[in-house]
Amino acid sequence: MLAKVGSCGLMGLGGFHVDVEVDVSSGMPCMEIVGLADTAVKESRERVRSALKNAGFAYPASRIIINLAPADLRKEGPIYDLPIAVGILAASGQVPFSGRRDTVFLGELSLDGEIRGVHGVLPMLIDARSRGMRRAVVPEENAGEAAYIEGLQILPVRNLSELASYMRGEKEMVYCQPGKFAARRESSGDIDFKYIKGQDAAKRAMEIAVAGSHNIFLIGPPGSGKTMLARAVPTIMPLLTFAEALEVTKVHSVSGELRGGIVTERPFRSPHHTASTASLIGGGAKARPGEVSLAHQGVLFLDELPEFRREALEALRQPLEDGFVTVSRVNARVEYPARFMLVASMNPCPCGYYGDPSGKCRCTPGQIRRYLSQRISGPLLNRVDLHVEVARPLYEDLISAREGEPSSAVRNRVEQAREIQRERYQKAGILVNSQLRGGMFDEFCKLDAACELLLSSAFQSLNLSARAYRRILMVARTIADLAGSGEIREEHVAEAVQYRSLDRKYWGGEV
Amino acid sequence: MTRERKNTGDLGEALAARYLESRGMRILERKYTIRGGEIDLIAKDGAYTVFVEVKTRRSAAYGTGAESITPRKMAALWRTAEQYAQKHQLLDAPMRFDVVDIFLQRNGNPEITYIKNADIHA
């Protein structure tokens, strides 16, 4: 007997249809899996055999041939355990099988017949839905994420016996309630701008950075609060929209980082500085998404930036510019989104106190130059719009009982500024100032004579590159948007230039 | 092979054959041997042709008999069975592998474990 069971495969963030064909016939007893399957799929053989026996079904003493079609696409992971088991049960006549062609099955089996959760359910099912599938049988663990796909009935199953009783009609199928999306802010209540004492200049820079989705460097001595500021960034970001949440959830689903349901908060990723290039950018044997993609629509925080490997940092340049990464693997290239806001913190010198009023720094000018310029290249620095010095807070600020402005108030201003940008760029096809490209500058960043003069003198004295020049324009645009001003004025340009001047102080000749 | 080990094996095989017959199976062959492989018993169970591997032990010190079927041994069994099936034109007929594990206790009573449709694969 032959049974054909629908399933899915995953390539990058996209899915494809897989037909699991199971032929059970007499002859020398064996079970062969063909159709470009990887090791985890080949091991299905053992799991399915034990699971069927332990769940009280007969494992047929027959010749069992399993074909995963199409045979030219690589199938990975244990997701075919469930469709294979269903196919064997159906082909050996142990359960009735409707043969409905609009249903897909996904799931890993444990040896006792329980059905385990798998990775990548959301992207696979979104694709299945787009191909006209109407129903998906998924592990209960994955029902949370699957329930958000409109128009797809989700049947969560716990184990093979439960599934069999559904198929025999002994138990009425209970489909998942469609998921209701509600974005949440950073849940940990102890992180908020109001708890950060002093640091008004740094907070202002953060607000600008988030408003225009600009990258930002925080430079300051140890203990000045750089990390705390960075961690508070998600609290002032606009809430995730449903479309954004789906994008983020796809990436997290593929990398197996999903903890039930859909992602409702903007991601905040802070990889350790020993991270390899592949773990940051994505790649490895299976071309998994890296930290830049896991931080999509959120924040990538690199603490102690100069401690990261230089090649890892240089590899950030392409996603920073393009908003996506392309990861190549043996037989395919996959693309992952990587539109994140980079927040990096660093000490200004090896001892950490260069520029500190205490005068504690004992580093030589050579040491300081090496510390910064050898690790962080000009091209990377150029892609960061704001550089902010974070001084150690004053004693008076620390002991003052006055709470700062709460994150919610800052977020309101950020959301207003984002709204202004969204309206302005409706036709241009971008969302925020940091996405301005090429000809858009002339259209959206017109400067009056006073501004031009200011900018040209800054260009000379700071020895700026063309890219840095454009970055200043973007930031000035954001500052103007925060102020609710249609035109970029002199004060906006002046503030924007100020966030750039650090490249000269640390990287230039002043040291 | 020492006489004692061979005797143990023969005794086990005889016990296994009797056991299978008591379950309604008909023994077709004993010690079916080709170059490169041997099947202890071949039996008929209804429509099924059954290839039986008998494992006999006097001591549990080295694990059960069934555990001692190595991948190499499995491959040999499979090849031999395939050759038998070919010769008797059974390749499209139902077939299976069974294992009979016999533990000869000191008091002389055999303890028989029967594994139907064992996972023997090439």
Side-chain angles (χ1 to χ4, degrees), chain A residues 21 32 80 83 94 96 118 122 167 171 185 249 253 264 267 282 309 314 326 362 377 418 429 455 477 479 491 499:
Chain A
E21 301 169 339
E32 293 286 348
Y80 305 109
Q94 297 185 70
V118 292
L122 184 76
M167 294 175 77
K171 196 172 164 188
R185 261 163 283 129
T249 307
S253 176
T264 53
R309 288 170 212 196
E314 293 307 308
T326 308
R362 290 283 171 271
S377 67
R418 289 261 181 131
L455 206 47
R477 183 68 263 176
I479 295 169
E491 71 251 36
Y499 294 121

Side-chain angles (χ1 to χ4, degrees), chain A residues 26-31 45-46 49 53 59-63, chain B residues 48 78 81-82 91-97 117-119 121:
Chain A
S26 47
M28 291 291 287
C30 66
M31 174 168 172
R45 193 183 169 280
E46 311 294 339
R49 189 184 171 96
K53 281 188 168 176
Y59 183 82
S62 318
R63 190 177 160 76
Chain B
Y48 274 93
W78 213 86
E82 195 177 27
L91 276 177
D92 290 328
M95 284 175 276
R96 64 165 202 259
F97 288 97
N117 190 20
D119 185 16
H121 50 89

Side-chain angles (χ1 to χ4, degrees), chain A residues 105-124:
Chain A
F105 293 76
L106 302 171
E108 176 181 339
L109 288 175
S110 79
L111 299 186
D112 57 3
E114 296 293 310
I115 297 167
R116 289 207 172 120
V118 292
H119 299 169
V121 168
L122 184 76
M124 284 192 281

Side-chain angles (χ1 to χ4, degrees), chain A residues 135 207 248 438:
Chain A
R135 191 166 68 155
E207 180 178 334
V248 177

